[in-house]
Amino acid sequence: VNNVLENDQLSSLENSEYQLWRSRFYELGWTWKTRFSKNPSQLYLKYGASFLWNNLRLEDNRIHVKNGNSTDIQVFNDKLSESRLRHVQMTFPMHFEWDFSRNGEYADGTKRDRTNQSLRIGLGAFAGFKLGTRQYIEYTDSNNVRVEELQKDNFNMNIFNYGLSAYVAYRSTGFYVKYDMNPLFKNTEVRNISLGLRFDFN
């Protein structure tokens, strides 16, 4: 799920202008793990690159409207069946990962790494940039004509994004949270927050 916080206040979700369960994000990426010590251990640096598709759906029949250097939320004249703002990002995440998998042994008794076999905890950050922003609007007008509209603009969104992220996982499946430290729109204190499931396929 995907939403926003105002002024870094978690309580602002209670009065969010965006639909909680229909605003979603999807992320697809590649990661690598590098052990901190020469010998097998539990601490790794996990890093990579990913693409994110962030969707925000407004409540109460409203759309985003660009007015110069600000982006406002306004009520739409016709009844909307869809109002979705999508922004796509290229992101570079980096986490310190504690992998509590028990190391194996070779026949000669030498230890070897075994990863993603137990509890894993990741703490880190990310940085990236937006590749594009679109607003999708669907409605039926006064002549009973179904209209599907695609608006292409940056909607005064900040191009560069950075923030904090963390996950707790068992084997390949985990719970993931990320929070953008930069405002979503220029001249605002609105920041993106995302929570979801993470799957690591090795």
Side-chain angles (χ1 to χ4, degrees):
V1 294
N2 202 49
N3 217 286
V4 300
L5 299 185
E6 293 189 28
N7 299 309
D8 298 316
Q9 298 297 314
L10 191 61
S11 60
S12 64
L13 281 175
E14 297 177 6
N15 301 308
S16 175
E17 296 180 300
Y18 298 98
Q19 299 179 41
L20 181 60
W21 298 111
R22 295 191 66 230
S23 297
R24 305 186 184 103
F25 84 104
Y26 307 93
E27 182 175 3
L28 177 65
W30 296 263
T31 58
W32 296 266
K33 288 171 72 167
T34 298
R35 195 173 61 226
F36 271 94
S37 63
K38 182 178 180 180
N39 298 320
S41 66
Q42 295 179 330
L43 183 60
Y44 298 83
L45 181 64
K46 191 161 187 170
Y47 51 93
S50 65
F51 293 97
L52 280 87
W53 294 264
N54 289 283
N55 296 283
L56 290 168
R57 285 181 165 90
L58 282 165
E59 298 271 14
D60 303 325
N61 209 71
R62 294 180 297 173
I63 64 171
H64 295 87
V65 178
K66 184 177 179 181
N67 291 319
N69 294 325
S70 65
T71 297
D72 302 327
I73 295 175
Q74 298 181 3
V75 176
F76 195 67
N77 292 329
D78 297 293
K79 179 63 177 177
L80 291 166
S81 57
E82 177 72 291
S83 175
R84 173 165 50 100
L85 188 69
R86 168 181 285 180
H87 51 106
V88 182
Q89 303 173 4
M90 178 75 179
T91 301
F92 302 94
M94 183 176 295
H95 294 90
F96 295 104
E97 182 181 281
W98 287 265
D99 188 330
F100 295 95
S101 302
R102 180 176 297 179
N103 290 322
E105 289 187 359
Y106 292 105
D108 61 359
T110 304
K111 288 186 177 181
R112 63 180 178 87
D113 276 337
R114 292 179 72 243
T115 63
N116 287 33
Q117 298 298 311
S118 186
L119 177 68
R120 294 182 297 116
I121 299 174
L123 298 174
F126 62 90
F129 54 89
K130 287 184 174 61
L131 299 174
T133 305
R134 304 285 188 272
Q135 181 167 236
Y136 300 86
I137 300 174
E138 297 179 13
Y139 61 95
T140 301
D141 67 13
S142 57
N143 295 314
N144 205 34
V145 175
R146 182 175 177 80
V147 180
E148 296 182 4
E149 186 175 329
L150 170 61
Q151 300 177 350
K152 299 180 180 180
D153 197 90
N154 66 353
F155 288 90
N156 292 307
M157 284 189 164
N158 285 304
I159 296 175
F160 297 102
N161 62 292
Y162 54 90
L164 304 174
S165 57
Y167 57 89
V168 177
Y170 182 74
R171 294 194 173 185
S172 62
T173 305
F175 177 75
Y176 174 59
V177 59
K178 60 184 288 289
Y179 184 55
D180 289 18
M181 301 301 293
N182 62 292
L184 184 60
F185 299 100
K186 296 177 181 177
N187 304 315
T188 70
E189 291 299 322
V190 173
R191 293 175 172 83
N192 205 93
I193 185 170
S194 306
L195 301 93
L197 294 177
R198 175 187 176 110
F199 302 97
D200 290 277
F201 301 102
N202 288 353

